[in-house]
Amino acid sequence: MASFSKLFLLLIFAALVTFVSPLRAQEQRYTFEKGLMGSPFKLVFYTSSDSIAQLAADRAFKRVEELNEIMSDYRDGSEINRLSATSGSGKWVPVSKDLFDILAVSQDISAKTGGVFDATLGPVVQMWRHATRKGIFPPEEEIRDALARTGYSKLKMDKKTHRIMLMQKGMRLDIGGLGKGYAAEEAVKELKKMGITSAMMDAGGKIVLTNPPPGTKGWNINVSNGSDSLKAMQLSNVALATSGPTYRYMEYKGVRYSHIVDPKTGIGLLFHVRTTVISPDGTVADALATAFSVAGIEKSKKYLKRFKSSKVWLVEKQGDRVAEWNMLE
């Protein structure tokens, strides 16, 4: 009787192994793409069925769309634009958790980088967008006026009540420098809620990675310095962001100006910069890629001491001079 019981248990165990193994083997790769926030969003992950994959992708993209309604400075009715409209009113304005959280990250990075990253740069960004579209350099008076309405110290936050006050009239917030990184992080969280542990979200070059694809050591990521140098890396459970004027710039009187604006001068960067940052968090990686592009190599080396978990590959080109700082080697 005892031997029969043992045989019966062994048969049950064998049946369970036979049942579980195919489920694991069936986990396959799925890729979804959608245009969001003015950029292509590419989502890659591994799961066990088409129906689960479609539901996961729908939830991830829906989350990005929700955030765009909150954070887009292109939409008149967005939460961030409604907040900007209260500037100079002397009122504390309650905001959503998402808007408060992303502005808190922005303010922290502003403080740690001496203001080279600044979410209050909206008036200058608006001016520069208009100038780029028209191909006309903005007058000095217009630049001074826009700069006078910026400054991260003019944005006050109350952590207890999730309220914000914009101190000066005419301020306008712009969080394009970290919004896609934040959206990528939030999209990946939706997948994790469904038990999907191996995923990559590429939000227009702002990439968030979780566990490696099954049977591999990491996600295969190629990083470029903007010209002829390419680095192949296997990464997991990190975020990566690249910033540079390769496709977005204005050329005026033979001078090329980047779409990345210097908060001190109010104009696009005068030299070509390609910056890649790897950090534990997508929001931070996105913001630092912009901040370090503005700061340049020498200042960025000092600022990086305040972000010890991050790595940088920064290339500067001024005329024939090329300088490079590569921590990814």
Side-chain angles (χ1 to χ4, degrees), residues 225 227 272 297 314-324:
N225 72 345
S227 56
H272 179 103
I297 292 175
L314 201 162
V315 180
E316 292 179 348
K317 297 179 182 178
Q318 293 180 274
D320 295 330
R321 175 183 169 274
V322 178
E324 185 171 1

Side-chain angles (χ1 to χ4, degrees), residues 44-115:
V44 182
F45 58 88
Y46 290 78
T47 192
S48 57
S49 73
D50 294 355
S51 58
I52 292 175
Q54 187 62 61
L55 180 60
D58 289 345
R59 288 182 178 179
F61 289 142
K62 182 181 178 182
R63 177 65 174 134
V64 176
E65 289 168 350
E66 290 172 352
L67 291 171
N68 199 34
E69 289 291 336
I70 292 170
M71 303 187 304
S72 174
D73 68 307
Y74 286 94
R75 300 190 178 191
D76 292 337
S78 67
E79 185 181 7
I80 196 168
N81 280 344
R82 296 198 307 271
L83 175 60
S84 293
T86 70
S87 64
S89 66
K91 296 179 180 178
W92 284 98
V93 181
V95 299
S96 65
K97 183 179 184 303
D98 284 315
L99 185 54
F100 192 92
D101 287 350
I102 196 169
L103 286 174
V105 174
S106 176
Q107 289 292 89
D108 180 63
I109 292 174
S110 294
K112 290 177 178 176
T113 60

Side-chain angles (χ1 to χ4, degrees), residues 13-49:
F13 178 77
L16 285 171
V17 170
T18 303
F19 178 71
V20 171
S21 295
L23 282 180
R24 288 178 179 169
Q26 287 170 11
E27 192 162 89
Q28 51 193 312
R29 179 185 173 109
Y30 291 89
T31 302
F32 296 86
E33 292 191 41
K34 191 170 185 178
L36 297 162
M37 293 184 168
S39 296
F41 274 58
K42 182 179 180 180
L43 183 59
V44 182
F45 58 88
Y46 290 78
T47 192
S48 57
S49 73

Side-chain angles (χ1 to χ4, degrees), residues 281-300:
D281 177 81
T283 315
V284 173
D286 194 0
L288 289 184
T290 300
F292 292 163
S293 292
V294 173
I297 292 175
E298 295 309 314
K299 288 183 179 178
S300 294

